[in-house]
Amino acid sequence: MAKYDELPGKDHIIRHVPYGKLRRDENEKTIGIEFTAFQLREEDQGNLSTTWLEYTQRSRDEQLIESLKYIRTSRAASAKSALAIAKVEKVKSVCVPRRVRVLHDPETGNPAHAIVTSFPTDEVALLEALASDVWSEFILVGQVDASGKAR
Amino acid sequence: MVERTYEQLLFEKLSRLSVEMSRIAMHLNEDWRSGIFSQLSTMLSTEEWDRADKLPDSSAFITFLRLITYWRFRKRPGIGVSTDGNTVASWSQNGDRVTVECFPNDQIRWVLGRSAGGELETAAGRTNLTRLRDVISPYGIQEWVFDG
């Protein structure tokens, strides 16, 4: 796949979410993602940074381990942070009518890097829908690390 | 002038927020005090803090403290920080969610997501913290958010 090609709708993208943007219950158990995980910074230029899970054609566990390795080339990912996973076609359907696109955008150190363009960062209710319904699957980084060590 | 390390900045911020919390400690039970401090200290540790984010804004944290002492909530909230450094408090029940982002001077942004007939319904708005119960009451979730 070439740079800026659109990812297949059935594939998945991962967003790394730090501890402070994870949703916890009253017992401090992580139960999901906060909408704040999708607030962009100025330097993001309207694009949400993600990693393409299916970049490598391996088992799901191996894809998660590989994706985490790529993510760690640009940022720290502690055991209590998480990888949130979303299906590409669901991201696009929930963001209608913004017509977002999910594009392969390889970077140095992360050949699986992907961006969601025209991301609706100011529409908080939409960010909540993305957090609660689209990026609803997540795995703690500590679990991915443990699975990698077990191999 | 001595330059402070990032670790020192995080420690100083945690100390500052702890001092603010101590001012209203008499209004919180031990479970709430220890639970909030535990989340803050983890969040502001060198391992967990995302250095690209702004450090928590003390004025916004004071709004959070005023929020949890002005209203009686049924459960202790999960606590986080937005990209801009605003304190975020959240409550969840059976898949329904309420999140409050606190800004300085008692201003808040509330965001809710709930299942309505099998479909996700979301809503959001900005108001003063004293209006929270009124503005979310039309959504029928206040009975599990508030105590009494």
Side-chain angles (χ1 to χ4, degrees):
Chain A
M1 181 172 279
K3 187 174 172 92
Y4 297 141
D5 277 355
E6 289 214 40
L7 299 194
K10 62 176 177 35
D11 281 6
H12 299 81
I13 49 177
I14 293 174
R15 173 84 170 160
H16 174 250
V17 184
Y19 176 87
K21 291 174 182 169
L22 292 172
R23 196 172 188 90
R24 284 176 289 279
D25 66 11
E26 65 274 22
N27 300 312
E28 293 166 50
K29 182 185 172 200
T30 301
I31 55 172
I33 310 300
E34 297 286 16
F35 78 87
T36 51
F38 304 105
Q39 291 176 318
L40 299 187
R41 304 184 186 98
E42 208 172 308
E43 59 266 31
D44 296 319
Q45 299 181 314
N47 299 324
L48 184 77
S49 176
T50 67
T51 294
W52 179 19
L53 181 64
E54 286 86 0
Y55 175 75
T56 52
Q57 303 295 311
R58 298 184 187 172
S59 72
R60 177 112 163 164
D61 284 353
E62 288 169 327
Q63 286 173 334
L64 285 168
I65 292 165
E66 197 71 8
S67 298
L68 179 57
K69 192 176 85 184
Y70 294 146
I71 288 166
R72 279 181 165 150
T73 61
S74 62
R75 60 188 304 170
S78 72
K80 290 179 180 172
S81 63
L83 304 181
I85 304 161
K87 198 169 189 177
V88 169
E89 63 191 17
K90 198 161 183 189
V91 172
K92 290 160 90 172
S93 68
V94 167
C95 288
V96 166
R98 287 293 290 256
R99 300 192 62 146
V100 303
R101 299 170 75 202
V102 183
L103 308 178
H104 188 211
D105 179 33
E107 289 182 336
T108 307
N110 186 357
H113 187 252
I115 51 172
V116 183
T117 64
S118 307
F119 196 71
T121 194
D122 296 330
E123 297 172 42
V124 180
L126 187 51
L127 299 187
E128 172 62 18
L130 290 167
S132 63
D133 199 37
V134 179
W135 262 275
S136 52
E137 182 189 352
F138 71 93
I139 182 166
L140 292 176
V141 164
Q143 291 174 270
V144 180
D145 281 334
S147 140
K149 281 177 192 153
R151 285 171 189 279
Chain B
M1 188 171 158
V2 180
E3 200 163 304
R4 289 170 296 175
T5 64
Y6 207 83
E7 289 75 9
Q8 285 171 317
L9 287 174
L10 287 171
F11 181 76
E12 285 170 14
K13 180 53 75 173
L14 178 61
S15 303
R16 174 71 199 274
L17 301 186
S18 302
V19 167
E20 296 299 343
M21 202 163 81
S22 70
R23 296 186 207 279
I24 56 102
M26 73 292 280
H27 300 295
L28 299 173
N29 66 34
E30 174 55 28
D31 175 57
W32 278 60
R33 284 196 300 268
S34 62
I36 290 169
F37 183 77
S38 164
Q39 291 183 75
L40 280 179
S41 59
T42 304
M43 200 158 53
L44 286 166
S45 65
T46 51
E47 296 78 28
E48 303 301 337
W49 186 255
D50 185 343
R51 294 184 181 209
D53 282 344
K54 289 183 185 163
L55 285 170
D57 181 280
S58 300
S59 303
F61 184 71
I62 290 170
T63 296
F64 162 73
L65 294 174
R66 286 177 49 74
L67 174 79
I68 60 171
T69 48
Y70 184 87
W71 295 107
R72 286 186 63 191
F73 291 98
R74 202 168 274 275
K75 296 188 284 194
R76 180 159 49 81
I79 298 167
V81 175
S82 73
T83 300
D84 287 334
N86 299 315
T87 302
V88 173
S90 63
W91 293 264
S92 309
Q93 171 96 347
N94 299 329
D96 290 350
R97 305 158 41 119
V98 177
T99 310
V100 177
E101 182 177 0
C102 300
F103 299 90
N105 303 318
D106 288 356
Q107 295 302 300
I108 60 169
R109 173 158 62 185
W110 57 273
V111 187
L112 66 86
R114 64 164 201 165
S115 176
E119 285 198 18
L120 177 72
E121 186 175 73
T122 60
R126 288 186 73 138
T127 188
N128 186 285
L129 67 87
T130 59
R131 294 264 306 137
L132 179 63
R133 187 168 184 145
D134 287 340
V135 294
I136 70 169
S137 64
Y139 299 93
I141 56 172
Q142 75 275 16
E143 69 272 10
W144 63 260
V145 175
F146 298 103
D147 194 8

